[in-house]
Amino acid sequence: MSRILGTFAALKRSGCGGFIPFITAGDPDLATTELLLRELAAAGADIIELGVPFSDPVADGEVIQRASDRALRKGVTLRDALTCIAHVKQRIDVPIVLFSYFNPLLRFGEDRLADEAKQAGADAVLVTDLVPEEAQTWTEKLIQHELDPIFLVAPTTSGDRLAQIAKRGRGFIYAVSRAGVTGARDKITRDAEALVKRVRAVSDLPVAVGFGVSTADQVREIWGFADAAVVGSAIVSQIEKLGNSPDLVKHIGKFARSLVAPAS
Amino acid sequence: MQKLPITESEPDEHGHWGKFGGRYVPETLVAPLEELTKEFMRAREDANFWRELNQLLRDYGGRPTPLFHAQRLSAHAGGAQIYLKREDLLHTGAHKINNAVGQALLARRMSKRRVIAETGAGQHGVATATVCALFGLRCIIYMGAEDVRRQALNVFRMRLLGAEVLTVNAGTRTLKDAINEALRDWVTNVHDTYYLLGSALGPHPYPLMVREFQSVIGREAREQILSASGKLPRALIACVGGGSNSIGLFHPFIADEQVRLIGVEAGGRGDSLGEHAARFHTGAASGGGQIGVLQGTMSYVLQDTNGQIATTHSISAGLDYSAIGPEHAFLHDAGRAEYIWTSDAEALEGFELCAKLEGIIPALETSHAIPPAIRIARDLPRDESIIVNLSGRGDKDVQLVADLQMQ
């Protein structure tokens, strides 16, 4: 069983929902990213998604676009993101998902990536703009290296495709809560719950819901129908606000804890 | 590399020309792309669709466009006869209307009332705004801030036509960023929105569909040159940004192996990465010749060693793009088409030469094809011919050229 499946099995045994924060590697800088990863793990993250900055993030809203820009201006690369994982893996045990657009991985080399991501201690790879139809050999390479290929499903995904994607994916299925780019929203739509139900009908894989999740209430709402909630832009926007403040890491830890705190 | 003779250039059912093309998109867009593919394939087999399209292209667009024997340019070259395919004479002043009318008919068939599009030079934006006015569709155009600045006249035209022009301030603030923003809009508004992509790029079915709508250029040109000179031309020459005017001219000639297909990329102001938009640039520091994935398709993409998409430069907004359409990538690797580049300075010379010798002011994009056409004609006998796709007229560029001459 992969470490990610193990994490979900443990959550299920304890009757808890999972919390999956996302941050961009190198925002505000690589040293801080390492501290943030450790802090998020300490704050109760069950899995962490680490974003590789990309020049043309078409699936992302403005908050993560700007985070990508900040990291790229510092010259942060895929190699740096892997190094970052390797460093923190010596101190934390939380599974890490490498989260990227396809082109940086393609340029790095698919074989080399699978190899080096495994060595660094990553547990899974999610490629935003790589749907299973284009990912055949890629998926095989990851699985050979004991890395979980994570695929997204969306409210627009047809039933047939849903079954196909569930068959190709490993670790968990990432359900996109609504049509749109990443970014905080006031409400989690009914679409998300309906989508999770459709996934459950064709797959035993755990389901995480992301896109637009920004408050503790929303996290709890998602736990009502899915296995985990992904919070990205809300955290990244706090990182943006605090920038190079010495309180950044402490503050993000506090914010993460507030997202998973029991309702008062 | 082994060069195979190729007689056709058709993608597989998932839009792959060999390894190029395909569909590299966020999951949310797969369903609308499948729906669009299905509708396009249905329309493609529907005689009524083509009848309506052809009638609109004739009565509204102004087709067929003439194939003009440019005698003074030919004499200047002193070799083969140069013919100009006059797409500049179409309604809205460029070939872009061919595709815009075709896709607007599809949008109507699919009952989508809201149309979005990206534009670089503004020609595709104007063509889209025009057909949306004609069909009574809501129209939103994304345009990079840099292009808004250098193509102010077209921004005004789009607004006159009732379109909303949204300025994109992200990234390099050019065509690439306008496409990113249009994709983000589409992913958010998939249910009621039609994305009218303007070039032979993006995810399947766009490269195939845009080529099909633009191939009318080559079909007409082939008949016209046979009737004018009794034989096929020795070469076709067209500028290549994403590659829609060039693939439209080339495609009906692909089986004519004796006809050279020559695409002209933007050489910009230098040979290093960031200074040009020539995806097949061969210079050591040019960044050319790298396969990658950008905006839904696999092709040759200008990028740095970390896979970050490079900034590009061209005097012409319409060629200022980091990737080339996937069918061009395929034709290049198959050895069927050749790609060369023209610098900003040479393009300006072509612009002036065409104006002074033929009384035709070409778009700056189109102007890139003129200097190589003269060189190629020069090396051929007088009783041979070549065709240049005069893809657009240059009114939109007059102010820019005037400003450059003032400096």
Side-chain angles (χ1 to χ4, degrees):
Chain A
M1 188 190 283
S2 77
R3 282 164 38 84
I4 286 179
L5 279 177
T7 298
F8 277 105
L11 282 168
K12 197 167 188 177
R13 278 196 300 276
S14 58
C16 295
F19 169 54
I20 309 181
F22 166 99
I23 58 172
T24 299
D27 170 37
D29 56 65
L30 286 162
T32 309
T33 297
E34 291 183 16
L35 296 175
L36 285 169
L37 289 170
R38 289 165 56 188
E39 181 67 19
L40 287 168
D46 298 293
I47 295 169
I48 303 175
E49 292 180 351
L50 184 64
V52 175
F54 183 52
S55 54
D56 294 82
V58 292
D60 285 301
E62 288 184 12
V63 169
I64 293 177
Q65 285 177 46
R66 286 197 300 267
S68 228
D69 271 354
R70 288 192 293 274
L72 287 176
R73 274 200 299 273
K74 299 225 149 146
V76 172
T77 65
L78 172 57
R79 180 64 263 171
D80 293 329
L82 294 174
T83 305
C84 198
I85 294 174
H87 287 172
V88 298
K89 271 290 174 167
Q90 295 164 3
R91 295 166 180 268
I92 65 172
D93 195 34
V94 175
I96 294 183
V97 179
L98 188 71
F99 193 106
S100 184
Y101 287 83
F102 193 37
N103 200 58
L105 309 188
L106 194 63
R107 188 64 194 261
F108 195 79
E110 292 171 86
D111 287 304
R112 183 178 159 215
L113 189 269
D115 201 33
E116 296 194 19
K118 183 67 195 174
Q119 276 180 33
D123 295 274
V125 185
L126 188 160
V127 190
T128 319
D129 54 350
L130 191 63
V131 294
E133 288 89 335
E134 303 286 1
Q136 196 93 45
T137 54
W138 169 245
T139 308
E140 285 160 17
K141 271 172 200 156
L142 292 184
I143 292 172
Q144 275 165 22
H145 285 81
E146 296 171 328
L147 291 162
D148 290 330
I150 311 274
F151 288 110
L152 297 137
V153 296
T156 55
T157 306
S158 70
D160 285 354
R161 276 180 57 76
L162 216 55
Q164 285 300 318
I165 293 170
K167 221 178 283 172
R168 305 270 181 87
R170 295 280 191 280
F172 65 93
I173 303 258
Y174 187 131
V176 174
S177 70
R178 56 173 160 76
V181 293
T182 57
R185 290 290 187 285
D186 293 339
K187 281 200 173 76
I188 298 300
T189 64
R190 297 254 158 206
D191 289 357
E193 188 170 355
L195 175 60
V196 172
K197 278 198 183 122
R198 293 201 294 136
V199 176
R200 301 271 198 230
V202 295
S203 172
D204 294 330
L205 283 174
V207 186
V209 172
F211 279 44
V213 188
S214 60
T215 66
D217 285 345
Q218 290 174 331
V219 169
R220 274 194 303 275
E221 191 185 338
I222 286 167
W223 285 346
F225 59 86
D227 300 297
V230 183
V231 183
S233 297
I235 294 171
V236 173
S237 132
Q238 298 286 322
I239 294 174
E240 176 171 45
K241 209 181 290 171
L242 284 142
N244 295 318
S245 151
D247 294 332
L248 172 68
V249 175
K250 205 170 70 192
H251 177 87
I252 294 299
K254 203 169 126 198
F255 181 64
R257 283 181 187 90
S258 79
L259 287 171
V260 293
S264 50
Chain B
M1 188 185 312
Q2 191 187 4
K3 303 289 183 193
L4 299 169
I6 67 161
T7 54
E8 60 171 30
S9 169
E10 288 308 312
D12 70 14
E13 61 169 324
H14 300 296
H16 299 107
W17 282 268
K19 66 182 150 211
F20 301 109
R23 203 179 261 166
Y24 295 84
V25 292
E27 173 60 28
T28 302
L29 289 182
V30 173
L33 286 166
E34 282 181 349
E35 184 193 359
L36 176 60
T37 306
K38 207 181 282 173
E39 195 59 40
F40 168 64
M41 293 303 180
R42 214 179 285 150
R44 203 181 182 194
E45 303 302 321
D46 179 354
N48 287 327
F49 175 81
W50 288 106
R51 196 172 306 123
E52 186 174 11
L53 175 56
N54 289 333
Q55 192 176 346
L56 277 167
L57 289 177
R58 185 191 67 198
D59 301 341
Y60 187 70
R63 300 213 75 90
T65 59
L67 184 70
F68 175 66
H69 183 191
Q71 298 194 35
R72 296 193 68 209
L73 266 182
S74 306
H76 175 80
Q81 304 310 303
I82 299 173
Y83 285 83
L84 305 176
K85 181 59 175 161
R86 297 292 309 276
E87 295 297 295
D88 61 315
L89 292 177
L90 284 171
H91 183 38
T92 70
H95 72 289
K96 293 289 185 189
I97 194 84
N98 300 325
N99 168 55
V101 173
Q103 288 201 53
L105 284 176
L106 277 179
R108 204 182 58 186
R109 277 172 79 109
M110 298 171 78
S111 306
K112 306 272 187 193
R113 306 293 304 167
R114 179 178 181 270
V115 170
I116 57 170
E118 81 297 342
T119 198
Q123 289 305 105
H124 175 58
V126 167
T128 303
T130 298
V131 296
C132 285
L134 179 67
F135 290 122
L137 302 167
R138 190 174 162 213
C139 180
I140 292 132
I141 305 291
Y142 289 96
M143 190 169 186
E146 169 66 9
D147 294 338
V148 166
R149 182 190 64 76
R150 55 185 166 174
Q151 302 288 349
L153 180 63
N154 272 343
V155 175
F156 187 63
R157 286 168 82 194
M158 289 183 269
R159 289 185 172 141
L160 275 179
L161 292 159
E164 202 179 323
V165 181
L166 299 180
T167 303
V168 179
N169 280 303
T172 54
R173 302 183 301 166
T174 58
L175 178 58
K176 174 172 76 75
D177 311 287
I179 296 176
N180 285 342
E181 218 45 49
L183 284 167
R184 290 182 188 119
D185 179 316
W186 200 29
V187 91
T188 309
N189 302 293
V190 279
H191 298 292
D192 67 343
T193 297
Y194 184 96
Y195 182 15
L196 208 162
L197 187 53
S199 196
L201 44 86
H204 180 58
Y206 286 105
L208 173 65
M209 183 164 70
V210 174
R211 179 200 84 193
E212 289 292 273
F213 290 141
Q214 293 294 359
S215 290
V216 64
I217 303 171
R219 284 196 300 274
E220 284 177 10
R222 199 170 180 283
E223 270 180 36
Q224 288 165 324
I225 195 74
L226 286 172
S227 126
S229 72
K231 57 181 176 182
L232 287 169
R234 293 287 293 273
L236 308 178
I237 300 161
C239 65
V240 190
S244 71
N245 91 79
S246 45
I247 203 70
L249 177 64
F250 294 173
H251 195 261
F253 289 87
I254 281 177
D256 303 314
E257 282 175 55
Q258 70 274 37
V259 181
R260 287 172 68 190
L261 311 177
I262 301 165
V264 186
E265 301 189 285
R269 62 191 166 202
D271 292 337
S272 53
L273 187 61
E275 298 294 300
H276 63 87
R279 288 65 48 108
F280 295 117
H281 204 297
T282 50
S286 70
Q290 301 297 333
I291 290 172
V293 164
L294 178 64
Q295 294 172 337
T297 194
M298 183 173 284
S299 188
Y300 284 91
V301 181
L302 289 166
Q303 54 183 300
D304 69 15
T305 50
N306 295 309
Q308 304 298 338
I309 307 307
T311 56
T312 52
H313 166 80
S314 170
I315 193 171
S316 64
L319 303 185
D320 202 350
Y321 183 64
S322 327
I324 190 166
E327 189 170 359
H328 285 289
F330 170 76
L331 292 173
H332 172 270
D333 280 15
R336 179 62 190 95
E338 308 155 51
Y339 296 84
I340 56 178
W341 64 88
T342 293
S343 70
D344 284 354
E346 287 174 301
L348 280 169
E349 287 168 22
F351 180 86
E352 287 183 25
L353 202 62
C354 191
K356 295 219 166 76
L357 291 182
E358 296 294 346
I360 297 169
I361 300 176
L364 279 175
E365 289 77 11
T366 311
S367 300
H368 285 71
I370 310 248
I374 289 166
R375 287 197 300 273
I376 288 156
R378 186 167 290 151
D379 292 336
L380 290 167
R382 280 169 199 276
D383 60 349
E384 298 288 352
S385 70
I386 65 170
I387 297 175
V388 177
N389 198 6
L390 210 86
S391 52
R393 69 178 184 218
D395 307 43
K396 68 180 176 64
D397 297 313
V398 168
Q399 188 62 51
L400 183 80
V401 174
D403 292 347
L404 284 171
Q405 286 176 347
M406 294 285 284
Q407 285 168 16

